[in-house]
Amino acid sequence: MSIAEAGEFGLIARIVARLDDGPATLLGPGDDAALVAAPDGRVAASTDVLVEGRHFRRDWCTAADVGHRAAGANLADIAAMGATPTALLVALVVPTDLEISWPEELAGGLSAEAAKVGASVVGGDVSAGPLTIAVTALGDLGGRAPVTRTGAQPGDVLALAGRTGYAAAGYAILSRGFRTPKIFVEAYRRPEVPYAAGAAAAQAGATAMIDVSDGLLQDLGHIATGSVVGVDVRREAFTVPDQMRDAASALGVDPYLWILTGGDDHALAATFPPEAALPPGFQKIGTVHEGTGVTVDRTPWTGGTGWDHFR
Amino acid sequence: MSIAEAGEFGLIARIVARLDDGPATLLGPGDDAALVAAPDGRVAASTDVLVEGRHFRRDWCTAADVGHRAAGANLADIAAMGATPTALLVALVVPTDLEISWPEELAGGLSAEAAKVGASVVGGDVSAGPLTIAVTALGDLGGRAPVTRTGAQPGDVLALAGRTGYAAAGYAILSRGFRTPKIFVEAYRRPEVPYAAGAAAAQAGATAMIDVSDGLLQDLGHIATGSVVGVDVRREAFTVPDQMRDAASALGVDPYLWILTGGDDHALAATFPPEAALPPGFQKIGTVHEGTGVTVDRTPWTGGTGWDHFR
């Protein structure tokens, strides 16, 4: 059945049937607005939009994959503030000739990814048009101060939770028409976001934190600029996995290009005071110093700098 | 300058320059997530998406108009829960060849409409693609219970704050290639939403409430279904303004079609216990009774039922 045949309310009913309430859902889909618990008296909120052909391709990803990716990108932003995600709202624009199973499976992916952190899809809107998914995530800080991009201090340790380069490798593999190695293709389709590391970093005294969505060096540039510091990444902190080395070699790419500038894995990069014990999941990858900008082994990086969505 | 020339971060900087912090903004644009006050310990949240060619046309509305419309549609959803809007997040998809003044003026319109209720734009995302605007609004209930669609009781009074038919008249006028009467064209471009009536209705004991976005009869249908009641609208409760009568006559339309089934004015329809004093701005337009569905003068309406975004 096409979406045109189901109609707007038929589509909404089928999407809502794929959603579950989470613990923070006080009022779920079906009214003018949802109602979400915000026990902290503040709510963290972030929005990301995915456009077909630019952020995903239907021949590379299932609808469920796109749901996982869209939810993951947003939930990671909440985690990067040191908050715990509570809810998602989804604006979905779909072509009317699309099979209705596509948005149903998308909703299933969104819901399943949110459930990993105890969050749920609480509301949204649908319209006909070119396939586009805008997701807003809400989260709760649990009484903690938010970890922004502006608090890094010279002398701080730079640490990373999660991985980088995997989704970029998967993208490169898919771009050349391959489907393996699976580990990278799956990393591109459904990023493994270290959600719990966000609140753990805040509890451990992180001074600054960012979701690595556009590429490690580019995103660290936001911390450098926001905190008015220099950030140095040690290349030797990254071990290139054998499979990545092989894939990079086969494609004629330097694997450090993926690791240092590849986006979409949604690792969390954070800075900690030198005396802080790094929380589980984080490993040291560099240092913060007086100065400006981002360097690799104290040398400016000249190999490309991540993603501009308009270029 | 085109958006492609400005680049992603140039575009974001120009948009953010048009935004002001509101009283609920604890952390505004520029980090992974915004932080908004939720003093009630709960947050109301709603999302609407507008697609060029379907929800707006650039030759009918300025960018600022589209900003007012997009913000108004979302803020009205928050008001319809009995809550006070606090913040907007905006996902904006724009063609790269668009002049950068367009999203700048859009941001100005969004910000200005939000400022009417003391809210502000706290975050968002941009991407290249077909022109699409998804807005999420947040709001605070101030300790009140939410006014849903499910609480109407037989014997309740049906009342309306704001106007209906004005935006539909404006749409019809623009569709025929006219630009006047201004009052209707402007109502379509920038709806006058009775925001304060939402919280006032909650305080006055409203049993159910809805934002009239798709057409009065269709939206009342959601209250009838949700509350398992019948809703009857009295046609004589609506006076057709002379200008509307003249415009309808010139276009060969029954003005009650606009009033009863026209969307986009974002009036608030609410039900109140028979003994409640209607708050300022509301006037009685009908009654709630045992039964099902929506009637006009106790007769089924046969003149069309509002808007399905996929048909």
Side-chain angles (χ1 to χ4, degrees):
Chain A
M1 186 194 294
S2 74
I3 289 171
E5 289 165 323
E8 179 174 2
F9 296 106
L11 172 61
I12 291 171
R14 281 160 180 267
I15 289 174
V16 170
R18 296 293 185 109
L19 308 178
D20 295 310
D21 281 356
T25 308
L26 303 175
L27 184 68
D31 220 293
D32 290 290
L35 202 54
V36 179
D40 176 276
R42 303 167 295 174
V43 62
S46 182
T47 292
D48 270 305
V49 61
L50 279 71
V51 178
E52 183 180 21
R54 189 160 279 268
H55 300 92
F56 65 92
R57 285 172 50 162
R58 270 187 278 161
D59 55 340
W60 286 7
C61 294
T62 67
D65 290 338
V66 176
H68 281 274
R69 291 190 77 210
N74 274 269
L75 297 167
D77 281 326
I78 298 299
M81 300 304 288
T84 303
T86 52
L88 298 179
L89 295 102
V90 182
L92 175 62
V93 180
V94 281
T96 53
D97 60 355
L98 193 64
E99 269 296 307
I100 197 152
S101 59
W102 204 94
E104 285 185 291
E105 288 164 18
L106 175 81
L110 287 161
S111 187
E113 188 69 23
K116 291 181 183 175
V117 289
S120 58
V121 179
V122 297
D125 190 22
V126 295
S127 177
L131 187 56
T132 305
I133 304 151
V135 180
T136 298
L138 305 180
D140 185 73
L141 277 164
R144 296 180 295 276
V147 184
T148 68
R149 301 172 177 185
T150 64
Q153 298 288 332
D156 280 356
V157 168
L158 174 67
L160 187 74
R163 54 197 196 181
T164 64
Y166 280 66
Y171 179 86
I173 289 162
L174 288 164
S175 298
R176 306 290 183 91
F178 300 110
R179 291 290 183 274
T180 56
K182 276 278 177 211
I183 187 172
F184 303 119
V185 172
E186 285 305 310
Y188 171 79
R189 288 175 175 155
R190 301 189 182 193
E192 286 185 16
V193 184
Y195 297 115
Q203 280 156 352
T207 53
M209 185 154 51
I210 194 165
D211 161 39
V212 181
S213 55
D214 291 337
L216 181 62
L217 298 184
Q218 178 168 318
D219 287 321
L220 289 177
H222 298 307
I223 288 184
T225 303
S227 300
V228 197
V229 294
V231 175
D232 186 59
V233 175
R234 284 187 312 142
R235 188 178 169 115
E236 69 174 19
F238 297 90
T239 310
V240 182
D242 287 345
Q243 278 186 296
M244 189 182 287
R245 192 177 300 280
D246 293 346
S249 173
L251 299 179
V253 178
D254 175 359
Y256 282 100
L257 186 72
W258 290 341
I259 288 171
L260 296 176
T261 72
D264 288 336
D265 284 302
H266 301 291
L268 297 177
T271 57
F272 294 90
E275 69 278 9
L278 295 185
F282 278 95
Q283 65 170 28
K284 180 175 175 178
I285 62 164
T287 51
V288 179
H289 56 85
E290 290 188 15
T292 59
V294 179
T295 49
V296 179
D297 297 334
R298 300 306 288 250
T299 305
W301 174 258
T302 55
T305 59
W307 192 248
D308 183 319
H309 291 98
F310 293 98
R311 286 181 174 146
Chain B
M1 186 193 294
S2 75
I3 288 170
E5 290 165 322
E8 179 174 0
F9 296 106
L11 171 61
I12 291 170
R14 283 161 180 267
I15 289 174
V16 170
R18 296 292 186 109
L19 307 178
D20 296 310
D21 282 354
T25 308
L26 304 176
L27 183 68
D31 220 294
D32 289 290
L35 201 54
V36 179
D40 176 278
R42 303 167 294 174
V43 62
S46 182
T47 292
D48 269 306
V49 60
L50 280 70
V51 179
E52 183 180 21
R54 189 160 280 267
H55 299 92
F56 66 91
R57 285 173 50 162
R58 270 188 278 161
D59 57 339
W60 286 7
C61 293
T62 67
D65 290 337
V66 176
H68 280 274
R69 290 191 75 210
N74 274 270
L75 298 167
D77 282 325
I78 298 297
M81 300 304 288
T84 304
T86 52
L88 298 179
L89 294 101
V90 182
L92 175 62
V93 181
V94 281
T96 53
D97 60 354
L98 193 65
E99 270 295 307
I100 196 151
S101 60
W102 203 92
E104 285 186 289
E105 288 164 18
L106 174 82
L110 287 161
S111 187
E113 189 69 22
K116 290 181 182 174
V117 288
S120 59
V121 179
V122 297
D125 189 23
V126 296
S127 177
L131 188 55
T132 304
I133 304 151
V135 180
T136 298
L138 305 180
D140 185 73
L141 277 164
R144 296 179 295 276
V147 184
T148 68
R149 301 172 177 184
T150 63
Q153 298 288 332
D156 280 356
V157 169
L158 174 67
L160 187 74
R163 55 197 195 181
T164 64
Y166 279 66
Y171 178 86
I173 289 163
L174 288 164
S175 298
R176 307 288 182 95
F178 300 110
R179 291 290 184 272
T180 57
K182 276 279 177 209
I183 187 170
F184 303 119
V185 172
E186 286 304 312
Y188 172 78
R189 289 175 173 155
R190 301 189 182 194
E192 287 185 14
V193 185
Y195 298 114
Q203 280 157 353
T207 53
M209 184 155 50
I210 193 165
D211 161 37
V212 181
S213 54
D214 291 337
L216 180 63
L217 298 183
Q218 178 168 319
D219 287 320
L220 289 176
H222 298 306
I223 288 183
T225 303
S227 301
V228 196
V229 294
V231 175
D232 186 60
V233 175
R234 283 187 313 140
R235 188 179 170 115
E236 68 175 20
F238 296 89
T239 309
V240 182
D242 288 344
Q243 277 186 296
M244 188 182 287
R245 191 176 301 278
D246 294 346
S249 172
L251 298 179
V253 178
D254 176 359
Y256 281 100
L257 186 73
W258 291 340
I259 289 171
L260 296 176
T261 72
D264 288 336
D265 284 303
H266 301 290
L268 297 177
T271 56
F272 294 89
E275 69 278 11
L278 294 184
F282 278 93
Q283 66 171 27
K284 181 175 175 178
I285 62 163
T287 51
V288 179
H289 56 86
E290 290 188 15
T292 58
V294 180
T295 49
V296 178
D297 297 333
R298 301 305 288 250
T299 306
W301 173 257
T302 54
T305 60
W307 191 250
D308 183 319
H309 292 98
F310 294 97
R311 284 177 176 149

